């Protein structure tokens, strides 16, 4: 290794995290700001939900690692909040299970180190018209609505308040822009 050890920032979540390193994305912006100051690890997985995250939690964040992250940013909820598919397949996770999963994730992260800071991102709103226009017939039953997104966002915020975890209310923050339906989505 060249130079002194640096703090480790881990971004853990679904496609919002995975795609954050795209040109001008929030992950790329943070990587630029913290260049040579922190090592930023991307652990974003397209299509994942909180249930799937629990399956790899110990591998992504081993309790016995010599170096524990200084900061973990966690985002799950957009896929969890999709309406259930009649086949039983798909990313939907019922709200009570989502809350329990996010509690387990927070508890695990809190146990890593007293110095590990944690920030959860709540479920953002969606441009329902754009989603309907881009949905294939294969996924036509999958429903993503602002009503569902808001309920998962509110549950995440409430859980974080109960557990003393910092949370960014994406659902409210994005809608503060007049052009949020066009400016905030790819």
């Amino acid at each position: 290794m060249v130079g002194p050890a640096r703090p480790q920032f881990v971004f853990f979540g679904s496609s919002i995290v995975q795609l954050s390193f795209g040109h001008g994305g929030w992950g790329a912006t943070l990587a630029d700001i913290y260049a040579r100051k922190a090592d930023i690890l991307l652990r974003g997985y397209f299509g994942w939900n909180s249930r799937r995250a629990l399956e790899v939690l110990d591998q992504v964040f081993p309790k016995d690692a010599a170096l524990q992250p200084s900061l973990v940013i966690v985002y799950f909820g957009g896929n969890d909040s999709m309406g259930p598919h009649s086949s039983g397949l798909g990313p939907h996770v019922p709200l009570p299970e989502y809350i329990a999963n996010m509690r387990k994730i927070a508890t695990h992260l809190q146990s890593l180190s007293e110095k590990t800071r944690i920030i959860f991102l709540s479920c953002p709103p969606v441009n329902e018209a754009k989603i309907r226009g881009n949905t294939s017939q294969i996924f036509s039953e999958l429903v993503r609505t602002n009503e569902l997104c808001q309920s998962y966002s509110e549950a995440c915020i409430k859980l974080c308040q109960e557990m003393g975890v910092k949370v960014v209310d994406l659902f409210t923050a994005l809608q503060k822009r007049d052009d949020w339906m066009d400016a905030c989505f790819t």
Side-chain angles (χ1 to χ4, degrees), residues 52 64 91 122 139 156 162 168 173-174:
R52 184 75 174 107
D64 61 352
S122 78
F139 297 111
C156 180
E162 289 172 8
V168 175
L174 292 182

Side-chain angles (χ1 to χ4, degrees), residues 99 103 110 154-165:
I99 295 166
R103 182 180 305 281
Q110 288 172 325
E154 289 170 354
C156 180
I157 293 165
K158 182 179 178 191
L159 173 68
C160 288
Q161 290 169 341
E162 289 172 8
M163 297 189 73
V165 172

Side-chain angles (χ1 to χ4, degrees), residues 7-180:
Q8 187 181 81
F9 296 175
V10 182
F11 303 163
F12 183 50
S14 62
S15 59
I16 284 179
V17 172
Q18 179 181 334
L19 299 174
S20 74
F21 272 69
H23 181 69
W26 64 270
T29 300
L30 288 173
D32 184 50
I33 291 169
Y34 287 98
R36 298 176 56 179
K37 297 175 190 150
D39 292 326
I40 298 184
L41 302 177
L42 177 64
R43 297 297 180 264
Y45 306 97
F46 187 83
W48 277 31
N49 57 26
S50 63
R51 184 183 296 150
R52 184 75 174 107
L54 285 179
E55 294 174 8
V56 300
L57 190 61
D58 290 321
Q59 294 156 325
V60 175
F61 301 100
K63 288 187 177 188
D64 61 352
L67 176 66
Q68 293 297 348
S70 297
L71 173 66
V72 180
I73 298 176
V74 178
Y75 168 74
F76 292 100
N79 294 320
D80 299 73
S81 68
M82 291 180 74
H85 192 272
S86 62
S87 68
L89 302 174
H92 173 71
V93 173
L95 187 57
E97 181 185 347
Y98 167 76
I99 295 166
N101 293 346
M102 296 302 280
R103 182 180 305 281
K104 289 174 188 172
I105 292 169
T107 299
H108 181 84
L109 295 174
Q110 288 172 325
S111 75
L112 296 177
S113 167
E114 289 180 10
K115 295 180 181 179
T116 299
R117 292 168 296 161
I118 305 162
I119 302 172
F120 276 29
L121 306 177
S122 78
C123 189
V126 294
N127 182 332
E128 292 179 13
K130 193 174 274 190
I131 287 175
R132 279 191 301 275
N134 292 334
T135 302
S136 73
Q137 292 301 316
I138 296 169
F139 297 111
S140 62
E141 289 184 55
L142 297 176
V143 177
R144 183 169 274 175
T145 67
N146 280 317
E147 182 179 356
L148 287 170
C149 291
Q150 185 174 18
S151 64
Y152 281 69
S153 178
E154 289 170 354
C156 180
I157 293 165
K158 182 179 178 191
L159 173 68
C160 288
Q161 290 169 341
E162 289 172 8
M163 297 189 73
V165 172
K166 300 288 185 196
V167 61
V168 175
D169 178 359
L170 290 180
F171 192 85
T172 302
L174 292 182
Q175 292 183 75
K176 288 183 179 179
R177 288 184 63 137
D178 290 336
D179 62 346
W180 71 270

